[in-house]
Amino acid sequence: MFCYQCQETAGCTGCTMSGVCGKKPEVANLQDLLVYVTKGISFVTTKLRAEGKEVSEDINHMISVNLFTTITNANFDYDSIAQKIEETINAKEQLLEKLTDESNLPDAAIWNGAKAQYDEKAKTVGVLSTKDEDIRSLRELITYGLKGLAAYSKHANALLKDNKDVDAFLQKALAATLDDSLSVDDLVALTLETGKYGVEGMALLDEANTSAYGNPEITKVDIGVRNNPGILISGHDLKDLEMLLEQTKGTGVDVYTHSEMLPAHYYPFFKKYDNFAGNYGNAWWKQKEEFASFNGPILMTTNCIVPPADSYKDRMFTTGAAGYPGCKHIDAPYGETKDFSEIIEMAKKCDAPTEIERGEIVGGFAHEQVFALADSVVDAVKTGAIKKFVIMAGCDGRAKSREYYTEFAKALPKDTVILTAGCAKYKYNKLNLGDINGIPRVLDAGQCNDSYSLALIALKLKEVFELDDVNELPIVYNISWYEQKAVIVLLALLYLGVKNIHLGPTLPAFLSPNVANVLVQNFGIAGITNVEDDIKALI
Ligand code: FS2
Ligand code: SF4
């Protein structure tokens, strides 16, 4: 195996024996093969579109789910990955019959091996099969961005929203990573175009979420527990949460959010469920202790899964692109209701969650809520009460070096405001950093995809202050990344023209020195150093 797609990759170079995330070599290899056949089917769909032929939504959805399945910490289940490969090959064979011009097809679009051949084939199609390190770096940068884009599309699709242009681009770009005739310059251009569609994909999901559930609003979320048994729902899929809340209504079972599901509390729609109890725990990487003390069943709707301890493995369920061997997977076709009755019946027999903390956290500062506060925000900037906004969005992770972000938040001068999104917030959302004229010093927009809100807020401020360039705003960027959704957020920000983003705790291992240099030269991307020096440099 060779995998270097996430920030925790072994030795900051690549996981080769087993994943730091817990991914076994045979699963890592099979994910490579799933990406390969997904590139193959994308080559065929792209050719079909060029011939003026329609590609169905089902195929678009399949491609997105395949990529999502290979995101860090989403799916560890060999059998489910093998099944997706088989289904993709079968679908691709049918699409090939519709193709008029079958010349010049790459191996990925032709290969249709049987299951018994998957393991051998998988070893030949991984990251290292691209020999030139700069081409490899750009191909992977694009592929990881597309994985993030696919995840956001998938969530929008679950709410019955599709954007055919996003799907067509995603597949065209995926197919382009097979094309040996593309130069470094071509791939750099494609990287930026991926960022453009990253903005579109996040806009699609924002529209899907807000049209279904309303615009997030300022909300206090309880972080304690009640006396009833509970179900803990984690990951990012709001449609799964809606189905779970509908089915638990009146059963005496409470529903708690975990990690990236916390922002669900900010949407008006979910407030009508009186069994929607609060948020339990922290970011994904603390789940081993927190899932044990939760006592009830856990539903993982997406990443990030930590390989479960035996003490709660039989209480952990997966759905959608997520999967873990030995954990029950519950699913239904798009638009149909998933049956969570087994989880609810299990919950009824479990103890109520053990209290691990008390209090509340405040969030809900997505674009519409911040626009509603625009007058006081603009006033605070004009009077000098707010000197700087610090965008600290992204991911949390287990590396000790990430304590930097807690210390950085604490060390920021009192006239700065943190704008956050994603699970990165857990490093500072319980610090009680106070407020500036009633504006909290930590404004949480929501999940990682709600970084889109942060971009809209920046563009709005640019308009209000009548500036020509978003980089003239008193906003600095100190972003922490972990997995591939952060890659599409980064590419989206670059596409929007944002410069001088600090990225940590380490720069991606998949950036070759030359590709890193392109990002440094053109966009001023930089790493982090230490809190004291970075505060001096940024503030
Ligand atoms: Fe956090 Fe994991 Fe949100 Fe990432 S819970 S690192 O999936 O996309 O962020
Ligand atoms: Fe390693 Fe990250 Fe890949 Fe897991 S996802 S195998 S930790 S690089």
Side-chain angles (χ1 to χ4, degrees), residues 356-378:
I356 50 173
E357 55 192 343
R358 272 188 199 175
E360 50 190 27
I361 40 185
V362 183
F365 298 92
H367 48 86
E368 291 310 300
Q369 178 64 84
V370 175
F371 294 170
L373 296 171
D375 286 348
S376 31
V377 173
V378 169

Side-chain angles (χ1 to χ4, degrees), residues 73-126:
N73 280 346
N75 199 315
F76 297 79
D77 187 12
Y78 183 98
D79 292 341
S80 92
I81 297 165
Q83 191 184 334
K84 285 186 167 67
I85 293 170
E86 188 177 30
E87 287 166 2
T88 306
I89 290 173
N90 290 342
K92 186 247 321 176
E93 291 296 306
Q94 288 180 12
L95 291 178
L96 280 174
E97 287 170 18
K98 297 186 186 162
L99 208 56
T100 310
D101 173 16
E102 286 203 42
S103 63
N104 298 323
L105 293 174
D107 176 70
I110 299 166
W111 190 77
N112 59 3
K115 261 191 180 161
Q117 297 167 290
Y118 288 1
D119 290 338
E120 276 315 302
K121 181 70 177 177
K123 289 180 195 159
T124 68
V125 298

Side-chain angles (χ1 to χ4, degrees), residues 228-234 241 244 248 251-258 280 287 290-301 308 311-318 327-328 330 339-354:
N228 305 317
I231 297 170
L232 190 59
I233 178 165
S234 193
L241 173 68
L244 185 64
T248 48
T251 61
V253 172
D254 288 334
V255 172
Y256 293 79
T257 54
H258 173 261
Y280 190 85
Q287 67 188 243
E290 294 170 354
F291 287 4
S293 64
F294 184 75
N295 300 327
I298 304 121
L299 176 61
M300 295 299 306
T301 66
S311 65
Y312 64 83
K313 191 173 175 187
D314 60 339
R315 287 193 271 118
M316 197 167 105
F317 295 78
T318 60
C327 293
K328 178 91 186 262
I330 297 174
D339 178 2
F340 293 131
S341 56
E342 186 179 341
I343 307 182
I344 299 165
E345 287 315 306
M346 178 187 279
K348 288 179 184 166
K349 297 187 200 100
C350 293
D351 291 339
T354 305

Side-chain angles (χ1 to χ4, degrees), residues 1-10 13-16 18-24 28 31 70-73 76 144 398 482-484 509:
M1 73 174 280
F2 181 86
C3 182
Y4 63 174
Q5 66 175 350
C6 84
Q7 189 274 327
E8 292 188 356
T9 193
T13 50
C15 295
T16 54
S18 187
V20 172
C21 59
K23 190 161 74 175
K24 298 271 182 285
Q31 287 188 358
T70 68
I71 280 186
T72 299
N73 280 346
F76 297 79
Y144 303 152
R398 61 197 129 201
Y482 170 53
E483 42 76 61
Q484 299 78 54

Side-chain angles (χ1 to χ4, degrees), residues 176-192:
T177 64
L178 297 166
D179 186 346
D180 291 329
S181 73
L182 295 184
S183 66
V184 164
D185 287 347
D186 296 332
L187 291 171
V188 169
L190 188 60
T191 306
L192 290 185

Side-chain angles (χ1 to χ4, degrees), residues 68 71-73 151-152 234-236 258-261 283-285 302-305 394-397 421-424 447-449 481-486:
F68 199 170
I71 280 186
T72 299
N73 280 346
Y152 295 154
S234 193
H236 305 69
H258 173 261
S259 191
E260 274 283 66
M261 200 56 90
W284 65 273
W285 60 278
T302 64
N303 60 330
C304 288
I305 297 173
C395 317
D396 199 6
C423 66
Q447 298 180 334
C448 45
N449 47 288
W481 81 285
Y482 170 53
E483 42 76 61
Q484 299 78 54
K485 285 180 245 176

